[in-house]
Amino acid sequence: MAQTDKKFFENLTGAGKAIAVLTSGGDAQGMNAAVRAVVRMGIYVGAKVYFVHEGYQGMVDGGDNIKEATWESVSSMLQMGGTVIGSARCKDFRTREGRLKAAHNLVQRGITNLCVIGGDGSLTGANLFREEWSGLLAELVQQGLIDEEASQKYSALHIVGMVGSIDNDFCGTDMTIGTDSALHRIIEVVDAIMTTAQSHQRTFVLEVMGRHCGYLALVSALACGADWVLIPEMPPEDGWEEKMCQKLSATRSRGSRLNIIIVAEGAIDRHGKAITSSIVKDLVVQRLGFDTRVTILGHVQRGGTPSAFDRILASRMGVEAVLALLETTANTAACVVSLCGNQSVRLPLMECVQMNNTYMFVCTCRSFENNLKTYKLLAHRKPESELPHSNFNVAVLNVGAPAAGMNAAVRSAVRVGISEGHKMFAVSDGFEGFYKGQIKEIKWADVGGWTGQGGSLLGTKRTLPAKHIDKIAEQMRKYNINALLMIGGFEAFLGIMELLAARGTYEELCVPMVMVPATVSNNVPGSDLSIGADTALNAITDTCDRIKQSASGTKRRVFIIETMGGYCGYLASVGGLAAGADAAYIFEEPFDIRDLQSNVEHLTEKMKTGIQRGLVLRASGGLSLTQPVCLCLCSCRNENSNENYTTDFIYQLYSEEGRGVFDCRKNVLGHMQQGGAPSPFDRNFGTKIAAKAMQWITKKLNESYRKGRVFANTEDSACLLGMRRRAMVFQPVVQLKDETDFVHRIPKEQWWLKLRPLMKILAKYKTSYDISDSGQLEHVVLRRPKESEAMAAI
């Protein structure tokens, strides 16, 4: 971190400040992670932090509802659903009398900084409280409840909000805390329902939550490949009933044994009439005679443990909220901490609320728009007569190790390609299958049901193309392949560069090529995220949760957990943050025996001071040690972090040095991180990024088609499509060479390394936190969908 950053951070001392954190409105998974981050970051900078139990009701009632928080009081909260400090809808706070009581209770404890985690109603209430603050204090002085000195000392109230809502219905943020976890619950149910639906040839109508927002319905429909979705933002046109029934009938006639229809609870038609799940069921039964069932998911969507995404999001937002409070002045407007792409941003709270209130149905975020466009591309096949005829052949293949979400990406690519008029070819077993001629045409129906399948249904190998380039060129010529889409990890990156290098010898390779990153290691240059990494993170956090549960009856225990990733420490570091580990040893941050000894001493001190259980993660390329949890300590180690300080070595070191204080266990997670059904995030990410890649291919094919053939030989005709900060970006692979450490198969610069100090801070280590990338105050941008895009079920 730059010296200026260190100085700036040192100036942001919280000494003498008091921060209160509360959760209000409906609960959402991840709220506890946010509370934990606020408490520990607040204590870290020297502030006093208070819990406000039962939301605004506790603030009004005061007494034991407002308690000072300690470091240990938030142990074991990370993996818990709901909100440990309670939430309630408070009528009293809506009155000035109630807010006067709340102000009195805060002033008595010297609290002038509020961190509110809730929905738009909760945040609106907080802002009103802030605007009335000076008047409330004047009234308290008049009533003799506080003196003039207290009124002057606590003259300004500072507010920072975080949006905790499973509905994702708040303008200004791509995701709210709890949304990803709710999608996990929905997809778990849908996956289970699809098996029984297929067995009995049934149609299932699922009703999901969301109030007036259709985000959960839309994304779950995209993630499971639902036949039809009804959402309030885009009421279907008149006559939708007949179109839906025609679509369901056509799907059955092509051999499908089931139909899935997803209905948002706030779905309406163009006349404002509610469209309920029972109405849809009756419609299908009466017009088609299909055996149809209704499942209303209800509050199960709010339940369960938070996903890895929500734990990380909430932890980042909680730390950002404390930084925002430390930077506030008397003239600073209340802000809300939001997520844009992969970055934290701060937005004026009331701008967001006003957008929500004014543009309920059109204030759709960029993510919502992209999901809607992609769903319409994939779910509804146009008749052959309406499809364009491009006469282009496009091949798709998986390369490298399997990653959950690959199949969703292939499905998306195939269907978008067919919609663009191309003939799609599937290559089995990567480049090995390519040179052997394992190539066949793949149709729309062939990829039905692929979104929820783990692994690679096409088959994938680590074979690189260079040794077989002549045979691959021969197969390109034989099948007249005009473009290539590669979905894979670092081998795919190397493979596309080898194909590019051979263009001078083989004209058959002078075609548009694009690579989509898919690897649990998340080690592909040019992209912040890779398909499969989120599923692997959830596997790690689920395992750590179970380990901590198994150790609940065994006090004073440390777990060493080895994760995958090669030389990339992403899984160890970010998994450690999500699991609540104490440290993470990785290749990117060299460590020695003194660091290991320091960590052992740190854990020993924790054990002696009452934290009796912990977790340590070691990445396959490095060792990672995660933050303490009530009864067991855990360290994470990356598998290739150090050739000498292996998992066994670290286990033996901890066992010896901790003798008499704690005992030690180890766990190597292995290939379970690559297996299982893909998470909603990976299904959605794979689907959208592959669709975008196919649209790029279409554009490049049209640009490079000359005199009856395709010829593309420029740098920008061989690209990698990756997520960079806030946007999806196509980058020529030759330009990524300088960004790549080819020896260790990792990018030279990795964004997630900035999260490591955050993990250390939350584990009670003394360290510097880089604020150079912290959120800056921005403004809300209204995005209105075009009229041509205004129907979800076309």
Side-chain angles (χ1 to χ4, degrees):
M1 180 171 62
Q3 186 64 31
T4 53
D5 291 334
K6 285 183 180 179
K7 277 190 173 181
F8 186 45
F9 186 68
E10 288 166 2
N11 291 336
L12 292 177
T13 176
K17 291 194 174 185
I19 300 171
V21 57
L22 69 142
T23 54
S24 178
D27 64 304
Q29 307 98 317
M31 279 184 165
N32 290 321
V35 170
R36 170 179 172 270
V38 169
V39 169
R40 291 195 166 175
M41 188 63 180
I43 293 173
Y44 179 82
V45 298
K48 277 189 174 183
V49 186
Y50 290 83
F51 291 135
V52 179
H53 293 274
E54 312 308 332
Y56 286 118
Q57 191 65 57
M59 192 187 297
V60 173
D61 295 341
D64 289 340
N65 288 304
I66 305 176
K67 292 183 179 178
E68 186 173 354
T70 65
W71 193 277
E72 290 74 22
S73 63
V74 292
S75 294
S76 297
M77 285 178 63
L78 189 63
Q79 70 271 24
M80 297 180 71
T83 166
V84 170
I85 61 175
S87 181
R89 304 192 187 276
C90 178
K91 292 182 179 179
D92 292 338
F93 193 75
R94 296 177 184 174
T95 67
R96 184 174 176 85
E97 182 183 357
R99 293 191 290 276
L100 188 68
K101 291 179 181 178
H104 186 214
N105 289 326
L106 294 184
V107 170
Q108 283 183 313
R109 294 163 177 80
I111 299 170
T112 56
N113 297 279
L114 276 185
C115 182
V116 180
I117 308 167
D120 56 352
S122 302
L123 299 180
T124 301
N127 191 68
L128 175 62
F129 191 38
R130 171 183 170 276
E131 291 174 346
E132 291 183 344
W133 183 257
S134 58
L136 294 172
L137 294 194
E139 196 168 334
L140 290 172
V141 171
Q142 187 178 5
Q143 294 179 10
L145 295 175
I146 64 172
D147 56 29
E148 189 62 42
E149 182 182 352
S151 176
Q152 293 297 322
K153 185 177 181 181
Y154 306 119
S155 59
L157 179 67
H158 307 297
I159 302 285
V160 171
M162 286 182 276
V163 187
S165 167
I166 68 167
D167 301 330
N168 203 33
D169 58 353
F170 194 82
C171 283
T173 186
D174 285 350
M175 288 285 275
T176 58
I177 296 170
T179 302
D180 187 70
S181 300
L183 286 170
H184 274 256
R185 301 294 92 78
I186 295 169
I187 294 304
E188 286 166 7
V189 172
V190 173
D191 285 350
I193 278 176
M194 289 178 79
T195 59
T196 187
Q198 193 159 23
S199 299
H200 296 276
Q201 297 193 64
R202 282 180 177 152
T203 295
F204 267 88
V205 182
L206 281 82
E207 182 178 308
V208 302
M209 283 181 154
R211 293 195 305 172
H212 301 297
C213 180
Y215 186 88
L216 289 179
L218 178 58
V219 175
S220 56
L222 192 60
C224 73
D227 297 283
W228 205 265
V229 62
L230 293 155
I231 57 175
E233 290 87 348
M234 309 296 173
E237 66 179 2
D238 294 341
W240 65 270
E241 299 91 341
E242 183 61 31
K243 288 187 177 180
M244 183 185 74
C245 290
Q246 288 175 358
K247 169 65 167 54
L248 300 180
S249 181
T251 302
R252 288 291 181 96
S253 66
R254 289 195 293 267
S256 176
R257 294 176 57 86
L258 77 158
N259 297 112
I260 299 293
I261 304 168
I262 295 183
V263 183
E265 65 177 343
I268 56 174
D269 64 19
R270 293 221 162 176
H271 306 287
K273 181 182 177 183
I275 303 175
T276 66
S277 52
S278 59
I279 289 174
V280 175
K281 175 199 170 182
D282 293 342
L283 181 66
V284 174
V285 171
Q286 291 167 10
R287 298 201 182 189
L288 298 176
F290 290 172
D291 185 5
T292 307
R293 299 287 189 275
V294 171
T295 299
I296 300 176
L297 298 189
H299 284 77
V300 69
Q301 295 159 87
R302 291 189 187 276
T305 59
S307 66
F309 182 97
D310 273 328
R311 300 184 196 196
I312 297 161
L313 174 66
S315 297
R316 291 177 68 184
M317 284 188 170
V319 169
E320 186 68 37
V322 173
L323 292 177
L325 284 172
L326 295 180
E327 293 178 40
T328 55
T329 65
N331 299 320
T332 304
C335 74
V336 60
V337 179
S338 302
L339 180 74
C340 183
N342 198 31
Q343 279 191 293
S344 295
V345 297
R346 302 175 194 172
L347 298 170
L349 190 155
M350 289 315 295
E351 275 191 26
C352 298
V353 171
Q354 287 163 6
M355 286 287 192
N356 260 32
N357 294 337
T358 308
Y359 303 106
M360 183 179 296
F361 294 108
V362 296
C363 188
T364 52
C365 66
R366 175 184 54 184
S367 173
F368 188 98
E369 284 189 60
N370 292 337
N371 287 323
L372 180 59
K373 292 175 184 176
T374 307
Y375 176 77
K376 291 193 292 184
L377 274 174
L378 301 176
H380 305 290
R381 182 182 183 181
K382 294 179 180 178
E384 294 285 344
S385 58
E386 296 182 19
L387 290 174
H389 293 284
S390 68
N391 295 318
F392 294 129
N393 297 341
V394 180
V396 58
L397 65 157
N398 293 336
V399 183
M406 275 183 164
N407 297 319
V410 172
R411 169 185 176 269
S412 176
V414 168
R415 292 197 169 180
V416 172
I418 291 172
S419 296
E420 303 268 325
H422 310 318
K423 184 179 287 188
M424 300 298 298
F425 287 85
V427 181
S428 300
D429 297 333
F431 287 115
E432 184 174 317
F434 208 147
Y435 81 79
K436 290 180 178 179
Q438 296 171 203
I439 305 168
K440 65 177 182 179
E441 187 178 356
I442 187 166
K443 301 292 186 68
W444 184 282
D446 295 336
V447 292
W450 279 34
T451 52
Q453 299 292 317
S456 168
L457 293 175
L458 286 185
T460 182
K461 296 286 182 69
R462 295 180 182 270
T463 307
L464 294 177
K467 292 182 180 179
H468 312 283
I469 203 75
D470 55 338
K471 294 180 180 178
I472 290 175
E474 181 183 336
Q475 297 297 335
M476 295 275 288
R477 183 169 57 253
K478 178 181 177 180
Y479 289 92
N480 190 29
I481 301 300
N482 305 120
L484 286 178
L485 170 60
M486 285 155 272
I487 302 167
F490 205 85
E491 288 84 1
F493 178 65
L494 295 175
I496 192 172
M497 287 200 300
E498 290 181 0
L499 294 178
L500 182 63
R503 277 179 169 177
T505 307
Y506 301 96
E507 285 194 2
E508 293 84 354
L509 302 178
C510 294
V511 298
M513 305 176 190
V514 63
M515 177 204 159
V516 169
T519 168
V520 301
S521 303
N522 198 36
N523 64 330
V524 178
S527 186
D528 292 347
L529 298 172
S530 296
I531 299 167
D534 183 73
T535 303
L537 283 176
N538 279 286
I540 292 169
T541 53
D542 288 347
T543 302
C544 290
D545 287 350
R546 295 183 185 191
I547 285 172
K548 289 186 282 188
Q549 189 180 59
S550 73
S552 60
T554 308
K555 297 184 178 182
R556 302 187 183 280
R557 176 162 289 176
V558 172
F559 277 86
I560 311 293
I561 297 175
E562 181 178 299
T563 66
M564 296 180 88
Y567 286 98
C568 181
Y570 175 81
L571 288 181
S573 296
V574 182
L577 179 59
D582 283 278
Y585 295 100
I586 61 172
F587 168 78
E588 290 89 344
E589 288 189 5
F591 59 95
D592 56 25
I593 194 66
R594 290 179 291 275
D595 297 310
L596 293 174
Q597 182 62 33
S598 175
N599 288 330
V600 172
E601 292 171 357
H602 183 77
L603 291 177
T604 302
E605 183 63 26
K606 281 186 173 181
M607 292 291 185
K608 289 178 179 178
T609 56
I611 300 174
Q612 299 172 326
R613 181 180 66 188
L615 192 64
V616 177
L617 299 182
R618 180 189 184 277
S620 59
L623 172 69
S624 60
L625 189 65
T626 59
Q627 153 181 345
V629 291
C630 181
L631 291 176
C632 88
L633 292 171
C634 168
S635 289
C636 300
R637 180 191 181 277
N638 174 261
E639 60 187 345
N640 292 333
S641 56
N642 189 294
E643 61 181 350
N644 295 314
Y645 299 139
T646 63
T647 299
D648 286 336
F649 175 88
I650 293 164
Y651 163 69
Q652 292 168 5
L653 175 68
Y654 274 61
S655 297
E656 179 62 30
E657 296 298 318
R659 193 184 300 275
V661 181
F662 59 80
D663 64 356
C664 192
R665 298 290 187 272
K666 64 179 178 179
N667 194 311
V668 179
L669 300 187
H671 284 77
M672 67 170 290
Q673 296 160 86
Q674 285 184 332
S679 68
F681 181 92
D682 277 331
R683 299 184 195 198
N684 192 19
F685 183 49
T687 298
K688 288 194 291 188
I689 196 171
K692 193 173 183 68
M694 279 305 307
Q695 290 171 330
W696 177 88
I697 282 177
T698 299
K699 178 185 175 184
K700 288 296 179 183
L701 284 170
N702 291 327
E703 289 175 355
S704 58
Y705 185 72
R706 296 288 185 277
K707 298 180 180 179
R709 60 168 292 190
V710 172
F711 187 85
N713 198 26
T714 57
E715 285 187 359
D716 66 353
S717 64
C719 284
L720 180 146
L721 173 57
M723 166 69 80
R724 279 286 176 96
R725 296 170 75 88
R726 301 189 187 187
M728 298 277 215
V729 183
F730 289 95
Q731 303 145 100
V733 292
V734 294
Q735 295 178 12
L736 295 174
K737 285 184 179 180
D738 293 339
E739 299 181 21
T740 307
D741 176 352
F742 287 96
V743 174
H744 299 103
R745 299 160 59 91
I746 56 175
K748 291 179 180 177
E749 300 289 335
Q750 302 187 85
W751 69 272
W752 52 265
L753 286 171
K754 291 186 177 182
L755 298 181
R756 286 180 58 76
L758 188 154
M759 183 191 70
K760 293 177 182 178
I761 288 171
L762 297 181
K764 213 173 184 178
Y765 284 88
K766 292 296 182 183
T767 187
S768 296
Y769 183 62
D770 186 354
I771 63 167
S772 62
D773 201 37
S774 63
Q776 303 299 316
L777 191 65
E778 300 181 9
H779 294 281
V780 184
V781 177
L782 177 65
R783 305 180 66 88
R784 291 176 178 269
K786 297 176 183 177
E787 181 64 26
S788 60
E789 300 168 359
M791 295 207 319
I794 293 182

